[in-house]
Amino acid sequence: MGSPNHLPGRAEWRAGWPLVLGGLVGMGAGPGLFQNLSSLFVPGLVAEFGWTRGQIATAAGVGLLGCLVLPWFGRAADRFGARPVIAFSLLLLGTTYLAFSRLAGELWHYQLMVLCLALGVPGTSAVAYGRLIATRFVIHRGLALGVATSGLSLTTLLMPPLVGAQIARHGWRGGFVLLAVYAALVALPVTLLALRRVAPPAPAAPVAAPSARAARRDGRFWRLGLTAFCVNFATVGLVTQLVPLGLERGIGATEAALLVTAFGSAQLMARVAIGALVDRLAPHRVAAAVALLSAAGFALLELRAPGLAALCLIVFVAGLMNGAENDLLPFFAARLFGTQAYGETYASLLVVALLGTSAGVVGFGQLRDLTGAYDVALALGTAAMVAAALLFLSLRPRGAE
């Protein structure tokens, strides 16, 4: 805490607020936004191309294997800085969304586009922003990461009505065009302008920190990665099926879109509130408690006809851990392994997390096709959240092991 970069209290925010703002806008445009909104596109794709929900989910899940190259991007961010990675990622996302709007019915084209989205993760996630924030903030690191990562929550909260209206007016292709405009013409310039306002940090004294290779030999690395795998399997698998799930629970298409908004509300509240809590309380206990709360939400989703208001509340509870995980993963990465090789270390963890995302996207869709209902998928989601809680409890502070 004695480093010149470590400013006390309010001084951290005075020096670092543009960085947090840039992270909020940039991460809000990331591929996670499409994951959260993807169920809005499913009815149109099914109607036009005859694809099943399971086929769409499988294509999306396989495409996410593009995340295997993320450690290379993380190493590039460590070596050359975050800005080039951010610019590349947002431009790639804009181009990819335009390509989505030109789909002609080949399922492998959809899969290729999802792979391209996965390549946009580094510059729209804590791979690029986490190290910048972690070196600027120490006292309020959890809250700063929580506010920055809440960008995805905000866009998930605000974009469903806009995208839904665009799809209703211009079809699902128009929805993809709107996402392209947001990524390339809104998020990119705003993010780069915000980051330009951040003064270069003062040189820090050398601090011993493990390399990415050394971090991967630490058992805590794999426990943290498996935690993220479990959380993403459950929560991303759920959000990609929210609209079809709502339709099966007896609510209309317009009302079903509100479930996505409820999920986004949970993300927003969890990222900010839990980010503040981990600055004050034992982080591993806070994380475990939220995971158990979300497990209860998944269990309650088994109810057949709870009504719209109750269903929105249950989705909100189930989605809390998704919001927390996107804050907690970079927080624990910096806390356990330092910032010297943060980009590569966090990107390696993100590979494990995104494999969980892929498993959830494919699993929830395929299980629905195989069983005719979401019961089995929801039961697996409940179990995954309980496992995540136990794994979080094992991530004790360095001196406690």
Side-chain angles (χ1 to χ4, degrees):
M1 200 171 288
S3 164
N5 291 336
H6 297 166
L7 303 175
R10 295 180 182 176
E12 284 189 337
W13 285 101
R14 283 198 298 269
W17 72 263
L19 177 59
V20 174
L21 175 63
L24 185 145
V25 175
M27 286 191 268
L33 177 62
F34 175 65
Q35 288 177 356
N36 291 350
L37 302 182
S38 60
S39 61
L40 296 174
F41 294 88
V42 169
L45 293 170
V46 169
E48 183 163 341
F49 299 137
W51 299 341
T52 69
R53 296 173 191 173
Q55 286 176 322
I56 294 171
T58 300
V62 172
L64 283 171
L65 293 179
C67 71
L68 294 174
V69 302
L70 293 187
W72 183 86
F73 283 98
R75 190 179 305 168
D78 287 335
R79 187 169 301 177
F80 305 113
R83 287 173 179 81
V85 177
I86 291 169
F88 168 80
S89 295
L90 287 169
L91 286 172
L92 176 63
L93 289 177
T95 303
T96 301
Y97 284 132
L98 286 179
F100 266 116
S101 73
R102 305 296 298 242
L103 284 171
E106 296 290 340
L107 192 60
W108 72 270
H109 289 172
Y110 184 87
Q111 181 176 314
L112 179 62
M113 294 305 100
V114 176
L115 187 149
C116 290
L117 288 182
L119 296 180
V121 166
T124 56
S125 70
V127 172
Y129 298 98
R131 182 182 183 183
L132 295 174
I133 292 173
T135 54
R136 288 280 181 179
F137 292 85
V138 176
I139 298 172
H140 298 297
R141 179 181 290 171
L143 180 57
L145 284 168
V147 173
T149 58
S150 70
L152 179 58
S153 308
L154 284 171
T155 52
T156 300
L157 186 62
L158 298 174
M159 291 295 280
L162 298 177
V163 174
Q166 181 78 348
I167 290 174
R169 189 173 304 164
H170 301 291
W172 60 268
R173 298 179 192 274
F176 280 116
V177 171
L178 178 60
L179 292 178
V181 169
Y182 178 70
L185 300 183
V186 178
L188 177 60
V190 170
T191 300
L192 294 182
L193 284 173
L195 295 185
R196 285 187 64 183
R197 293 180 60 91
V198 181
V207 177
S211 66
R213 181 176 297 179
R216 287 191 290 265
R217 291 197 295 265
D218 189 322
R220 293 172 302 181
F221 175 93
W222 295 106
R223 295 200 298 274
L224 180 57
L226 184 57
T227 301
F229 181 100
C230 291
V231 171
N232 282 9
F233 168 81
T235 59
V236 180
L238 173 64
V239 75
T240 56
Q241 298 293 323
L242 270 180
V243 170
L245 174 65
L247 295 175
E248 291 192 1
R249 292 295 187 266
I251 62 177
T254 302
E255 291 79 9
L258 294 176
L259 300 181
V260 181
T261 300
F263 191 91
S265 301
Q267 287 181 321
L268 178 60
M269 194 199 83
R271 286 177 185 171
V272 176
I274 294 167
L277 285 174
V278 297
D279 288 332
R280 294 167 172 80
L281 304 174
H284 59 293
R285 293 195 181 101
V286 172
V290 178
L292 289 176
L293 189 59
S294 283
F298 272 85
L300 289 171
L301 281 171
E302 300 278 5
L303 296 174
R304 278 292 174 266
L308 177 60
L311 192 55
C312 284
L313 179 60
I314 294 169
V315 167
F316 179 91
V317 173
L320 285 173
M321 195 62 234
N322 181 270
E325 185 269 336
N326 285 275
D327 179 13
L328 291 169
L329 186 60
F331 177 88
F332 276 110
R335 183 172 187 254
L336 297 176
F337 308 114
T339 59
Q340 180 177 319
Y342 176 88
E344 186 178 352
T345 301
Y346 179 76
S348 299
L349 287 165
L350 200 56
V351 170
V352 183
L354 289 177
L355 290 175
T357 295
S358 180
V361 170
V362 174
F364 271 62
Q366 288 289 358
L367 285 168
R368 167 60 181 78
D369 283 356
L370 288 172
T371 65
Y374 287 104
D375 295 0
V376 175
L378 292 171
L380 289 175
T382 303
M385 300 307 290
V386 173
L390 296 175
L391 286 164
F392 271 127
L393 286 175
S394 76
L395 298 174
R396 302 180 187 281
R398 290 180 182 275
E401 292 198 337

